[in-house]
Amino acid sequence: MSMENYEIPRHVAIIMDGNGRWAKKRMMPRTYGHAQGSKTVEKICEDAYRMGIEYLTVYAFSTENWQRPKEEVDTLMNLLRDYMKDCIKTSKKNNMRVRIIGDITKLDTDLRESIKKLEEASSKNTGLKFQVALNYGGRDEILRAAKKFAEDYAAGVLPEFGAVGEADFENYLDTAGIPSPELLIRTSGEVRLSNYLLWQLAYAEFYFTDVLWPDFDKKELQKAIEYYNKRDRRFGGV
Ligand code: FPP
């Protein structure tokens, strides 16, 4: 499929759902599904960038995911640990800038250090801007932003209340400086937002597919963009 005549969204957000079911279908433990899902993440980053997507934001671990069985939480954290380390090399190779969004103060010290290293090492890269949502919740992000905002307001570094606009508040979100996504993709047939990017997705198109995350590939991404273009035309877009 050629994407030549399509309008490519600048920022795509993804809820990578269905790893557990993918593994179950193969009589394998859920953790195997997450490992496979992590490989899919790497491939999709490359495909997205080749298609002309500038920003990609994936939901890797939500503030609610701590409630999963300890073994599963540990596996996910270890996958993310490996990812942060390996990604120092990959981001150099493919010129990708990586940023973590979410409350990382709750993560283990070594993981936080790897995150810092990766963010610093990739900060000047000019290719895909890749955001990983880790211990992320939309409500939590807005609340943390409101607290920081209130602190700065009290310190007198903000305009008067009457003059404060959305852009002033956006600076306090984890996604400060990143344009809002035009397209949200959720895999595996669930039709929920699950506390993802509540502020940022206000005007996004939503695309839901039954495909399970480990099976999501370039073709599926193209289908989502095709859908986005149909919606865009209906509402008088380009
Ligand atoms: C949802 O599937 C997926 C997650 C909770 C975790 C997503 C994490 C990864 C894809 C791996 C690590 C990420 C990176 C960025 C390297 P589920 O377990 O809810 O599946 P189910 O609904 O079938 O049970």
Side-chain angles (χ1 to χ4, degrees), residues 12-15 56-60 101 131 133 136-139 184-185 193-201:
V12 176
I14 308 185
I15 302 180
L56 185 72
T57 304
V58 299
Y59 210 174
I101 60 167
Q131 288 67 238
Y136 177 88
R139 288 184 176 180
L184 167 78
I185 299 171
L193 201 44
S194 299
N195 204 10
Y196 193 42
L197 300 173
L198 294 182
W199 173 288
Q200 298 86 343
L201 291 172

Side-chain angles (χ1 to χ4, degrees), residues 31 61 65-78 108:
T31 46
F61 196 91
N65 284 155
W66 297 108
Q67 287 153 25
R68 294 195 175 200
K70 187 178 180 301
E71 193 213 339
E72 189 174 344
V73 170
D74 288 349
T75 304
L76 277 168
M77 285 299 153
N78 284 334
D108 288 349

Side-chain angles (χ1 to χ4, degrees), residues 161-178:
F161 256 155
V164 169
E166 289 181 5
D168 297 305
F169 187 72
E170 268 175 351
N171 285 333
Y172 289 84
L173 295 172
D174 297 341
T175 51
I178 296 171

Side-chain angles (χ1 to χ4, degrees), residues 23 68 101 120 128 135 137 143 159 173 194 222 226 230 232:
R68 294 195 175 200
I101 60 167
E120 275 168 15
L128 181 75
N135 191 28
L143 185 60
L173 295 172
S194 299
Q222 286 174 335
E226 223 181 316
K230 280 186 200 138
D232 210 27

Side-chain angles (χ1 to χ4, degrees), residues 15-22 30 33-39 41-42 58-62 65 68 72 76 79-80 83-84 130 132 186 188 190 212-213:
I15 302 180
M16 313 179 287
D17 202 1
N19 293 341
R21 275 164 284 165
W22 184 90
R30 298 175 52 78
H34 293 314
Q36 205 60 36
S38 150
K39 290 186 189 162
V41 172
E42 289 191 31
V58 299
Y59 210 174
F61 196 91
S62 75
N65 284 155
R68 294 195 175 200
E72 189 174 344
L76 277 168
L79 274 173
L80 288 160
Y83 180 81
M84 301 304 156
F130 183 49
V132 181
R186 181 167 189 155
S188 94
E190 306 300 338
L212 305 174
W213 176 250

